[in-house]
Amino acid sequence: MTDARQSALLAILRRAPVVPVLTIEDPHTAVPLAQALVAGGLSALEITLRTDGALDAMEAIARHVPDAIVGAGTVLSASQVKEATSAGARFLVSPGCTEALSAAAAQGSAPLLPGASTASEAMRLAEMGHHVMKFFPAEPAGGVAFLKALGAPLPHLLFCPTGGVDAEKAKAYLALPNVVCVGGSWIAPAAAVKAGDWATIARLSRAAAALRG
């Protein structure tokens, strides 16, 4: 990944301390959900490609919520890179990474946040030009203690921990110098989304946006 792409990715991730990780079942909820998150101060949104309506949800947010920066999560293949960017994704997130996926993302317009859970994986991604990466699954893979230990031998790498992170755990991650932000789904509880309780989601977003003052 080029320095320009790394800079673009960092600019997105540094907009707020938390990137909401959203699995949207009903595309009709996408716009009001995004509006509530943005109103609370979280503008970089990761829409996971785990549902049939994910691409429609991304397209709707990109079209109707101009202050949102749409990202695609769970990107696993070159075809998904193309589909996601065509739907308006401005950044891509993967649970891991292969050379084929990295190469496909490099040909597109959206920078890739690839996943790593070991020192060797992080070193390999750095060799491929990725110096900003997702730490996934954060809690099962060693949590705060692992990332703190990794910071000494690999001080040039930055991470977005995701997986098992909640509002309380986020504070400890965000205190680490090698953590640029965290990813989590607690900001948009499924029950609140289903009920259309956008006020609750906006409140949770405000609290998340204030985690790193």
Side-chain angles (χ1 to χ4, degrees):
M1 181 184 285
T2 64
D3 289 343
R5 282 175 175 268
Q6 292 281 277
S7 296
L9 180 59
L10 271 175
I12 292 170
L13 298 180
R14 283 177 170 154
R15 291 177 70 91
V18 180
V19 174
V21 179
L22 310 171
T23 301
I24 299 177
E25 300 288 347
D26 181 2
H28 292 97
T29 65
V31 169
L33 172 58
Q35 289 171 332
L37 292 165
V38 170
L42 305 180
S43 56
L45 314 178
E46 177 187 338
I47 315 299
T48 66
L49 297 179
R50 301 179 191 173
T51 65
D52 292 339
L55 293 172
D56 288 339
M58 278 189 277
E59 193 170 355
I61 294 170
R63 180 178 300 151
H64 298 293
V65 191
D67 292 332
I69 298 178
V70 179
T74 323
V75 177
L76 306 177
S77 65
S79 61
Q80 288 181 322
V81 169
K82 293 180 180 179
E83 290 170 349
T85 52
S86 294
R90 293 167 58 186
F91 67 102
L92 310 171
V93 185
S94 178
C97 194
T98 64
E99 291 187 6
L101 179 60
S102 179
Q107 297 300 313
S109 58
L112 173 67
L113 180 70
S117 60
T118 68
S120 293
E121 290 174 355
M123 290 169 63
R124 180 62 185 135
L125 286 173
E127 287 182 352
M128 296 162 65
H130 301 279
H131 295 94
V132 186
M133 55 195 74
K134 174 179 175 175
F135 175 47
F136 177 83
E139 285 295 293
V144 171
F146 177 87
L147 273 188
K148 185 176 181 179
L150 205 62
L154 301 173
H156 57 299
L157 302 183
L158 292 173
F159 296 89
C160 171
T162 305
V165 180
D166 57 23
E168 285 304 312
K169 293 184 176 72
K171 296 176 185 177
Y173 281 110
L174 290 167
L176 298 176
N178 59 345
V179 169
V180 62
C181 64
V182 302
S185 58
W186 82 87
I187 315 100
V193 174
K194 186 175 182 179
D197 186 359
W198 312 124
T200 289
I201 291 173
R203 176 178 55 79
L204 291 170
S205 299
R206 285 191 294 272
L211 282 173
R212 178 184 277 162

